[in-house]
Structures are given as C-alpha cells and as structure tokens.
Amino acid sequence: MEICHYAEDLKQQPTWFLLLGLLGLLSLSKSTFSLLKWLYVTFLRPPKNLIKSYGSWALVTGPTDGIGKAFAFQLARKGLHLVLVGRNPDKLATVSDEIKAEYGKTQINTVVVDLSGDLSEGVRRIREAIEGVDVGVLVNNAGVSNLYGKYVHEMGEEEVERMLSVNVKGMTLVTRVVLEGMLRRGRGAIVNVGSGSVFVTPSSPLFSVYAATKAYIDQFSRSLYVEYKKSGIDVQCQIPLFVATRMYSKRKLTKRPLFVASPEAYARAAIRWIGYEPRVCPYLPHFIQWCLVSLVPEFIVDESRLRFGIRRKYINKDER
C-alpha cells in the first residue's frame, strides 16, 4: 500500500523536479563508478614493467625540484637510466649526484636547456644527447605558472611569453624530437603533466594563461594518444591538483593540508598509471576531490575559484 502511495506521489511531482533528481542520481553513479575503477587500477592491476614495455632510458624535463625530481627518483628506482633536461647546470649536477648516491647503477646524462630561451638550440642539444639512446619514457614535467593571482592585464609581456614558451612550445618540441626514436623502435610512453585547473574546475580566474596552456597539453596529449596508439606508443596526460612544490608555495610547508600531495607521494602514484588511460588523476586524495567537485554546480565552483585567485593575489606577500 505504501509503495502505491509513493508511486502516486512521484506522478504528482513536477517534471523538472524528477529530471533534476535523475540527473543527480546519474552524476553520483558516474562518480561512484569512476572511484571504483580508480581503486581497481591502483590496488589490483599491476603496474607495467617500464623497461620491458618501453625501453631502458627515460627523459625528464624540469627534474631539479618538485614533481620532476620525484619522478626522476621513482624512474631510477624502477631501474631506468635517465636523461635529465633542465636550465640550471648546478642543480642538474646536484640531483644527478643524489640519484646516483641512492641508485648507484643508474646512468645519467644531463642536458642544459632553457625551454623559455632559444628552443632551436635546445632541441639540437636534446637530439644529440639521445642519439642512439633507447629513450622509452618521456616525462614532460617542466612548467611555469604565476605563483600569485594576476588578472591578464596585470601580467607582463615577458611573463606571458615565458609561460607560453615553456608550457606549450617547449613541451611540444621536446615531444616531437623524442617521438622520432620511439617511432623507429615501435614503442614508448609519453607522460605530460597537466593540471586540475583544466578538468577538476571549470575555470581558473587570475591563473587564466597557465590554465589555458594546460588545456593545450591535455588536448595535445589526447590527440597524440589516438595518433600513435597503433604505433606502440602510449600517450597520457596526468592531472595533479595541489602538490607541495615551489609552484604551490615558496615557503616550506610544516604541515600539508589534507588534499595537498608531497611530490614523492604524487610520483609514486603516478608511476603506477604510466601506460594506462589517456587522461588520469593518479593520486587518490586528488581523485576524491575531483569526484566531490563534480557534484557541485559550476557557478558555485567559478565563484569559489575567483575568491581563491583573489586571495592568492593578496595573501602571503612576505613570500615575494
């Protein structure tokens, strides 16, 4: 009898109310399915043997700090030799020594390239450094952001040009030169580090140029994934949210917020996903945050992101 009354009550509800409820149920079901899939991949599906699948060398851009440095250590831990591409020779030497001290068998070649500088010369150096080297994994990590929130009209011309050069042009040209060898060998994996500012949130006010460059990286990655999948090359865009690097804060964090990953924790999770899925959010707290944000109406997220950008514009001035 109660079931009959419930059915009658449903019939009396406005159509828009029922559709809204259905959409909410579908959204929740989609997030639940995505979470279950993430848990399966992370805890049940074994990670690929990178050397057997792709080759014995990996090239990492931006390896002297943050995510790039953590990636380099994790790849060395997996037994890969490294080509490290960065703009500071002293920092490259330091990180090379640190990796060799922990993983003595790792061979390391360093290439000094400023991706915001003369890219034709930089690409030439990279091509020479990897000639005859079995580079099976490429990690495009190097990136530039405005640490503090800025409206576009407040950004200097050099600042915009540097961001576009490193995040877009540099990443594209490095990928192109490494792809040449991967195609000859018929195998390879390309990992492009994207950003949650593109997919987790619908907008990134006061960080608009940075977010736009990361949107380019995602579309570039997805298209390459389709182009080269049949050639034995796996292309992937990885989506981190906040990671405790100098891009997040210049100050050393004494206590990390719940959803902020350490570079080491992020890289450990990221390594497991190489070769699986064209777009991934490998760190569990970040993925949970993504699922939660997807349930919130976009206009609310937009307003929240605007307030965040304005806070980043005015707070922590002592870091400058």
Side-chain angles (χ1 to χ4, degrees):
M1 196 68 177
E2 291 181 358
I3 295 177
C4 292
H5 285 310
Y6 179 70
E8 288 298 324
D9 289 341
L10 282 178
K11 290 180 181 179
Q12 294 175 9
Q13 298 298 331
T15 303
W16 66 265
F17 181 82
L18 296 176
L19 289 175
L20 188 61
L22 179 60
L23 289 174
L25 180 61
L26 290 174
S27 179
L28 182 60
S29 299
K30 181 180 178 181
S31 297
T32 302
F33 174 77
S34 297
L35 179 59
L36 291 174
K37 181 181 178 181
W38 190 100
L39 293 172
Y40 165 74
V41 172
T42 300
F43 297 111
L44 297 178
R45 186 171 66 183
K48 289 192 176 185
N49 184 313
L50 299 180
I51 295 177
K52 289 184 178 180
S53 298
Y54 304 118
S56 56
W57 285 77
L59 187 150
V60 183
T61 65
T64 58
D65 195 15
I67 293 175
K69 182 177 180 179
F71 251 117
F73 268 87
Q74 287 298 316
L75 290 166
R77 183 171 177 267
K78 295 293 183 180
L80 281 83
H81 305 303
L82 301 172
V83 178
L84 303 181
V85 178
R87 62 176 180 158
N88 188 313
D90 294 332
K91 289 184 177 181
L92 283 173
T94 298
V95 74
S96 297
D97 291 342
E98 291 175 358
I99 293 172
K100 288 178 180 178
E102 190 163 346
Y103 306 104
K105 295 183 179 180
T106 303
Q107 299 178 45
I108 301 178
N109 296 337
T110 60
V111 188
V112 179
V113 175
D114 184 356
L115 294 177
S116 67
D118 184 354
L119 289 176
S120 59
E121 173 63 19
V123 168
R124 184 189 65 78
R125 292 180 189 172
I126 294 172
R127 179 176 280 111
E128 290 179 354
I130 65 175
E131 185 67 34
V133 177
D134 184 15
V135 176
V137 177
L138 166 63
V139 179
N140 278 313
N141 164 77
V144 177
S145 175
N146 46 308
L147 178 60
Y148 306 99
K150 288 185 178 181
Y151 293 97
V152 171
H153 72 275
E154 297 175 332
M155 299 180 69
E157 185 175 334
E158 290 184 2
E159 182 180 13
V160 173
E161 289 180 351
R162 180 167 181 260
M163 201 176 298
L164 293 174
S165 180
V166 175
N167 297 5
V168 175
K169 189 175 180 180
M171 184 274 305
T172 304
L173 293 181
V174 170
T175 300
R176 182 175 177 274
V177 72
V178 176
L179 261 172
E180 295 171 2
M182 290 181 174
L183 284 170
R184 286 196 299 268
R185 292 183 293 272
R187 63 178 185 173
I190 298 173
V191 177
N192 296 324
V193 179
S195 171
S197 63
V198 178
F199 279 97
V200 179
T201 60
S203 65
S204 291
L206 279 75
F207 296 90
S208 55
V209 177
Y210 170 75
T213 63
K214 290 298 184 177
Y216 171 90
I217 290 173
D218 177 79
Q219 183 58 234
F220 181 69
S221 303
R222 181 71 188 201
S223 298
L224 292 190
Y225 167 80
V226 176
E227 287 181 34
Y228 294 104
K229 185 68 176 176
K230 293 182 180 179
S231 301
I233 299 171
D234 295 319
V235 184
Q236 177 183 82
C237 181
Q238 293 199 354
I239 302 174
L241 276 73
F242 287 118
V243 180
T245 67
R246 290 178 63 83
M247 193 177 290
Y248 174 76
S249 175
K250 288 186 177 180
R251 295 183 300 178
K252 185 175 181 179
L253 299 177
T254 56
K255 184 178 180 181
R256 283 186 292 108
L258 175 62
F259 289 108
V260 177
S262 69
E264 295 75 21
Y266 178 82
R268 282 195 300 271
I271 288 288
R272 290 189 59 91
W273 282 84
I274 293 179
Y276 296 117
E277 310 292 334
R279 180 189 299 127
V280 298
C281 186
Y283 185 62
L284 178 57
H286 288 174
F287 186 78
I288 293 174
Q289 192 174 11
W290 186 353
C291 291
L292 294 174
V293 172
S294 69
L295 301 175
V296 181
E298 285 191 356
F299 75 92
I300 295 178
V301 180
D302 283 340
E303 183 63 27
S304 175
R305 290 296 296 171
L306 177 60
R307 292 180 181 180
F308 170 81
I310 292 173
R311 286 200 305 273
R312 292 298 295 173
K313 177 177 173 64
Y314 293 111
I315 66 173
N316 298 332
K317 290 184 178 181
D318 56 311
E319 294 182 4
R320 306 193 183 201

Coordinates of all heavy atoms in Angstrom, one line a residue, residues 185-228:
R185 N 61.7 2.6 -33.0 CA 61.7 1.4 -32.2 C 60.3 0.7 -32.0 O 60.2 -0.4 -31.6 CB 62.3 1.7 -30.8 CG 63.8 2.1 -30.8 CD 64.3 2.3 -29.4 NE 63.8 3.5 -28.8 CZ 64.2 4.7 -28.9 NH1 65.3 4.9 -29.7 NH2 63.7 5.7 -28.3
G186 N 59.3 1.5 -32.3 CA 57.9 0.9 -32.3 C 57.4 0.8 -30.9 O 56.5 -0.1 -30.6
R187 N 57.9 1.6 -29.9 CA 57.4 1.5 -28.6 C 57.8 2.8 -27.8 O 58.7 3.5 -28.2 CB 58.0 0.3 -27.8 CG 59.5 0.3 -27.7 CD 60.0 -0.9 -26.9 NE 61.4 -0.8 -26.6 CZ 62.1 -1.7 -25.8 NH1 61.4 -2.7 -25.2 NH2 63.4 -1.6 -25.7
G188 N 57.0 3.1 -26.8 CA 57.3 4.3 -26.0 C 56.1 4.7 -25.1 O 55.0 4.3 -25.4
A189 N 56.4 5.5 -24.1 CA 55.4 6.1 -23.3 C 55.7 7.6 -23.1 O 56.8 7.9 -22.7 CB 55.3 5.4 -22.0
I190 N 54.7 8.4 -23.3 CA 54.8 9.8 -23.1 C 53.9 10.3 -22.0 O 52.6 10.0 -22.1 CB 54.5 10.6 -24.4 CG1 55.5 10.2 -25.5 CG2 54.6 12.1 -24.1 CD1 55.2 10.8 -26.8
V191 N 54.4 10.9 -20.9 CA 53.6 11.4 -19.8 C 53.7 12.9 -19.8 O 54.8 13.5 -19.6 CB 54.1 10.8 -18.5 CG1 53.3 11.4 -17.3 CG2 54.0 9.3 -18.5
N192 N 52.6 13.6 -20.1 CA 52.5 15.0 -20.0 C 51.8 15.4 -18.7 O 50.7 15.0 -18.5 CB 51.8 15.6 -21.2 CG 52.6 15.3 -22.5 OD1 53.8 15.3 -22.5 ND2 51.8 15.0 -23.6
V193 N 52.5 16.3 -17.9 CA 51.9 16.7 -16.7 C 50.9 17.9 -16.9 O 51.4 19.0 -17.3 CB 53.0 17.1 -15.6 CG1 52.3 17.5 -14.3 CG2 53.9 15.9 -15.4
G194 N 49.7 17.6 -16.7 CA 48.6 18.6 -16.9 C 48.3 19.3 -15.6 O 49.2 19.6 -14.8
S195 N 47.0 19.6 -15.4 CA 46.6 20.3 -14.2 C 45.1 20.2 -13.9 O 44.3 20.1 -14.9 CB 47.0 21.8 -14.3 OG 46.4 22.6 -13.3
G196 N 44.8 20.1 -12.7 CA 43.4 20.1 -12.3 C 42.7 21.4 -12.6 O 41.4 21.4 -12.6
S197 N 43.4 22.4 -12.9 CA 42.8 23.7 -13.3 C 42.0 23.6 -14.6 O 41.3 24.5 -15.0 CB 43.8 24.8 -13.4 OG 44.8 24.5 -14.4
V198 N 42.2 22.5 -15.3 CA 41.6 22.3 -16.6 C 40.3 21.4 -16.5 O 39.3 21.8 -17.0 CB 42.5 21.6 -17.6 CG1 41.8 21.4 -19.0 CG2 43.7 22.5 -17.8
F199 N 40.4 20.4 -15.7 CA 39.2 19.4 -15.6 C 38.5 19.4 -14.3 O 37.3 19.2 -14.3 CB 39.7 18.0 -16.0 CG 39.8 17.8 -17.5 CD1 41.0 18.0 -18.1 CD2 38.7 17.6 -18.3 CE1 41.1 17.8 -19.5 CE2 38.8 17.5 -19.6 CZ 40.0 17.6 -20.2
V200 N 39.2 19.5 -13.2 CA 38.6 19.5 -11.9 C 37.7 20.7 -11.7 O 36.6 20.6 -11.1 CB 39.6 19.3 -10.8 CG1 38.9 19.2 -9.5 CG2 40.4 18.0 -11.0
T201 N 38.2 21.8 -12.2 CA 37.4 23.1 -12.0 C 37.1 23.6 -13.4 O 37.9 23.5 -14.4 CB 38.2 24.1 -11.3 OG1 39.4 24.4 -11.9 CG2 38.5 23.6 -9.9
P202 N 35.9 24.2 -13.6 CA 35.5 24.7 -14.9 C 36.3 26.0 -15.3 O 36.2 26.4 -16.5 CB 34.0 25.0 -14.7 CG 33.9 25.3 -13.3 CD 34.9 24.4 -12.6
S203 N 36.9 26.7 -14.4 CA 37.7 27.9 -14.7 C 38.8 28.1 -13.7 O 38.8 27.5 -12.6 CB 36.7 29.1 -14.7 OG 36.2 29.3 -13.3
S204 N 39.7 29.0 -14.0 CA 40.9 29.3 -13.1 C 41.1 30.8 -13.2 O 42.2 31.2 -13.7 CB 42.1 28.5 -13.5 OG 41.9 27.2 -13.2
P205 N 40.2 31.6 -12.7 CA 40.4 33.1 -12.8 C 41.7 33.5 -12.0 O 42.0 33.0 -11.0 CB 39.1 33.6 -12.1 CG 38.5 32.5 -11.3 CD 38.9 31.3 -12.1
L206 N 42.4 34.5 -12.6 CA 43.6 35.0 -12.1 C 44.8 34.1 -12.4 O 45.9 34.4 -12.0 CB 43.6 35.5 -10.7 CG 42.9 36.8 -10.4 CD1 41.4 36.8 -10.6 CD2 43.3 37.4 -9.1
F207 N 44.5 32.9 -12.9 CA 45.6 32.0 -13.4 C 45.2 31.5 -14.8 O 45.4 30.4 -15.2 CB 45.7 30.8 -12.5 CG 46.1 31.1 -11.1 CD1 45.2 31.4 -10.1 CD2 47.5 31.1 -10.8 CE1 45.6 31.8 -8.8 CE2 47.9 31.5 -9.5 CZ 47.0 31.8 -8.5
S208 N 44.6 32.4 -15.6 CA 43.9 32.0 -16.9 C 45.0 31.6 -17.9 O 44.7 30.6 -18.7 CB 43.1 33.2 -17.4 OG 43.9 34.4 -17.5
V209 N 46.1 32.2 -18.0 CA 47.1 31.9 -19.0 C 47.7 30.5 -18.7 O 47.8 29.6 -19.6 CB 48.2 32.9 -19.2 CG1 49.2 32.5 -20.2 CG2 47.6 34.3 -19.6
Y210 N 48.0 30.3 -17.5 CA 48.5 29.0 -17.0 C 47.5 27.9 -17.3 O 47.9 26.8 -17.9 CB 48.8 29.0 -15.5 CG 49.1 27.7 -15.0 CD1 50.4 27.0 -15.2 CD2 48.2 27.0 -14.2 CE1 50.7 25.8 -14.7 CE2 48.5 25.7 -13.6 CZ 49.7 25.1 -13.9 OH 50.0 23.9 -13.4
A211 N 46.3 28.1 -17.0 CA 45.2 27.1 -17.2 C 45.0 26.8 -18.7 O 44.9 25.7 -19.1 CB 43.9 27.5 -16.6
A212 N 45.1 27.9 -19.5 CA 45.0 27.7 -20.9 C 46.1 26.9 -21.5 O 45.9 26.0 -22.4 CB 44.9 29.0 -21.6
T213 N 47.3 27.1 -21.0 CA 48.4 26.2 -21.5 C 48.3 24.8 -21.1 O 48.6 23.9 -21.9 CB 49.8 26.7 -21.0 OG1 49.8 26.6 -19.6 CG2 50.0 28.2 -21.4
K214 N 47.7 24.5 -19.9 CA 47.5 23.2 -19.5 C 46.3 22.5 -20.3 O 46.3 21.3 -20.5 CB 47.2 23.1 -18.0 CG 48.4 23.4 -17.2 CD 49.5 22.5 -17.3 CE 50.7 22.7 -16.4 NZ 51.8 21.7 -16.6
A215 N 45.4 23.3 -20.7 CA 44.3 22.8 -21.6 C 44.9 22.4 -23.0 O 44.5 21.3 -23.5 CB 43.2 23.8 -21.8
Y216 N 45.9 23.1 -23.4 CA 46.6 22.7 -24.7 C 47.3 21.4 -24.5 O 47.2 20.5 -25.3 CB 47.6 23.8 -25.0 CG 48.6 23.4 -26.1 CD1 48.2 23.6 -27.5 CD2 49.7 22.7 -25.9 CE1 49.1 23.2 -28.5 CE2 50.6 22.3 -26.9 CZ 50.3 22.6 -28.2 OH 51.1 22.2 -29.2
I217 N 47.9 21.2 -23.3 CA 48.6 20.0 -23.0 C 47.7 18.8 -23.0 O 48.0 17.7 -23.6 CB 49.4 20.1 -21.7 CG1 50.6 21.0 -21.8 CG2 49.9 18.7 -21.2 CD1 51.3 21.3 -20.5
D218 N 46.5 19.0 -22.5 CA 45.6 17.9 -22.4 C 45.1 17.5 -23.8 O 45.0 16.3 -24.2 CB 44.4 18.2 -21.6 CG 43.3 17.1 -21.6 OD1 43.5 16.1 -20.8 OD2 42.3 17.3 -22.3
Q219 N 44.7 18.5 -24.6 CA 44.2 18.2 -26.0 C 45.3 17.6 -26.9 O 45.1 16.7 -27.7 CB 43.6 19.5 -26.6 CG 43.0 19.3 -28.0 CD 41.9 18.3 -28.0 OE1 41.9 17.3 -28.8 NE2 40.9 18.4 -27.1
F220 N 46.5 18.2 -26.7 CA 47.7 17.7 -27.4 C 47.9 16.2 -27.1 O 48.1 15.3 -27.9 CB 48.9 18.5 -27.0 CG 50.2 18.1 -27.7 CD1 50.4 18.3 -29.1 CD2 51.2 17.6 -27.0 CE1 51.6 18.0 -29.7 CE2 52.4 17.2 -27.6 CZ 52.6 17.4 -28.9
S221 N 47.8 15.9 -25.8 CA 48.1 14.5 -25.3 C 47.0 13.6 -25.9 O 47.3 12.5 -26.3 CB 48.1 14.5 -23.8 OG 49.0 15.3 -23.2
R222 N 45.8 14.0 -25.8 CA 44.7 13.1 -26.2 C 44.8 12.8 -27.7 O 44.5 11.7 -28.2 CB 43.3 13.8 -25.9 CG 42.1 12.9 -26.3 CD 41.9 11.7 -25.4 NE 40.9 10.8 -25.9 CZ 40.3 9.9 -25.2 NH1 40.6 9.8 -23.9 NH2 39.4 9.1 -25.7
S223 N 45.1 13.8 -28.5 CA 45.3 13.7 -29.9 C 46.4 12.7 -30.3 O 46.3 11.9 -31.1 CB 45.4 15.0 -30.6 OG 44.3 15.8 -30.4
L224 N 47.6 12.9 -29.6 CA 48.7 12.0 -29.8 C 48.4 10.6 -29.4 O 48.8 9.7 -30.0 CB 49.9 12.5 -29.0 CG 50.6 13.8 -29.4 CD1 51.9 14.0 -28.7 CD2 50.8 13.9 -30.9
Y225 N 47.6 10.5 -28.3 CA 47.2 9.1 -27.9 C 46.5 8.4 -29.0 O 46.7 7.2 -29.3 CB 46.2 9.3 -26.7 CG 45.5 8.0 -26.3 CD1 46.1 7.0 -25.6 CD2 44.2 7.8 -26.7 CE1 45.4 5.8 -25.2 CE2 43.5 6.7 -26.4 CZ 44.1 5.7 -25.6 OH 43.4 4.5 -25.3
V226 N 45.6 9.1 -29.7 CA 44.9 8.5 -30.8 C 45.8 8.3 -32.0 O 45.8 7.2 -32.7 CB 43.7 9.4 -31.3 CG1 43.0 8.8 -32.5 CG2 42.7 9.5 -30.1
E227 N 46.7 9.3 -32.3 CA 47.6 9.2 -33.5 C 48.6 8.0 -33.4 O 48.8 7.3 -34.4 CB 48.4 10.5 -33.6 CG 47.6 11.7 -34.1 CD 48.5 12.9 -34.2 OE1 49.7 12.8 -34.5 OE2 48.0 14.0 -34.0
Y228 N 49.1 7.8 -32.2 CA 50.3 6.9 -32.1 C 50.0 5.6 -31.4 O 50.9 4.8 -31.2 CB 51.4 7.6 -31.4 CG 52.0 8.7 -32.2 CD1 51.7 10.1 -31.9 CD2 52.8 8.5 -33.4 CE1 52.2 11.1 -32.7 CE2 53.3 9.5 -34.1 CZ 52.9 10.8 -33.8 OH 53.4 11.8 -34.6

